[in-house]
Amino acid sequence: MIFAGCRNGNIMRFDKRLGKRGQKLYNDRFLNQQRTSVLHLEMLAEWRLLTSYMNGDLMTFDLRFTRDASPLVQYHGHHNTYTQRLGVAVDPTHDFLFAAGEDCRIRAWSVHTGRSVGFSSSDNDTHMYNPFVKVFPGVVETMQVTSEPQGLCLWAGHDQKLYQIYLGQR
């Protein structure tokens, strides 16, 4: 299977065993809203598809029910209106989603519930070390989450800088 996100907002699924014609997925979701470009697609487990759009929508869909245009989970608070290259990453166990916004901040959510993860910006003691409060010097264009001996590590790239952020201890 090959999935393709299109500039007009369509998500196409191509099954190479069946030929070259693709199937549009979740097309009915645009009935009452303006179309926007798909920026990121990622498979989560065998049946969930993570999608990110130019208008800031960040959500997962169920690939078992492709006619239903409503998402399984929506991740509120993601900031994007025009930036094409924003980092999006999921941890190796598919429990946490991290997304960079055009406001130069990184946000995190539970993949399963859509709840925001992180500290509030009023927590002064952890402000320097909290990646979810930090405002980066520019847009974070790429991210990756790895499992290290010390715990999960979020790698975030901006311009020519690479940030290594440990997310927890094991």
Side-chain angles (χ1 to χ4, degrees):
M1 293 284 189
I2 299 170
F3 294 92
C6 304
R7 286 177 42 185
N8 69 358
N10 285 340
I11 298 173
M12 302 292 293
R13 176 172 59 187
F14 298 90
D15 187 341
K16 301 270 298 176
R17 300 169 296 184
L18 301 177
K20 295 181 180 182
R21 190 174 186 120
Q23 175 190 11
K24 289 182 184 177
L25 306 179
Y26 318 113
N27 205 34
D28 291 342
R29 85 176 206 87
F30 296 112
L31 293 178
N32 297 321
Q33 79 183 65
Q34 185 175 350
R35 290 181 173 265
T36 181
S37 299
V38 177
L39 299 178
H40 182 88
L41 294 174
E42 185 172 341
M43 292 289 300
L44 303 177
E46 293 181 20
W47 52 270
R48 289 181 295 178
L49 182 66
L50 172 66
T51 62
S52 173
Y53 296 86
M54 179 88 71
N55 68 354
D57 286 349
L58 192 58
M59 56 190 80
T60 55
F61 288 97
D62 191 331
L63 288 170
R64 299 172 297 182
F65 306 104
T66 57
R67 294 188 195 273
D68 185 8
S70 56
L72 279 175
V73 181
Q74 288 185 294
Y75 308 96
H76 299 286
H78 180 53
H79 290 268
N80 192 19
T81 55
Y82 61 86
T83 307
Q84 293 180 10
R85 294 188 59 184
L86 291 175
V88 176
V90 178
D91 75 309
T93 60
H94 296 151
D95 289 327
F96 298 103
L97 165 64
F98 304 91
E102 67 186 12
D103 60 351
C104 303
R105 293 184 59 201
I106 295 174
R107 290 174 177 79
W109 298 266
S110 164
V111 167
H112 308 290
T113 66
R115 285 193 185 143
S116 180
V117 177
F119 298 99
S120 70
S121 59
S122 63
D123 191 352
N124 292 329
D125 294 338
T126 59
H127 188 275
M128 288 178 48
Y129 307 105
N130 184 349
F132 309 118
V133 175
K134 178 180 178 61
V135 177
F136 289 83
V139 172
V140 175
E141 295 178 344
T142 185
M143 291 192 301
Q144 176 78 33
V145 181
T146 59
S147 183
E148 305 288 332
Q150 300 88 344
L152 286 179
C153 183
L154 174 65
W155 297 85
H158 151 69
D159 204 12
Q160 294 183 4
K161 289 189 176 185
L162 181 64
Y163 299 88
Q164 182 181 21
I165 304 160
Y166 284 101
L167 300 172
Q169 303 297 320
R170 281 196 178 152

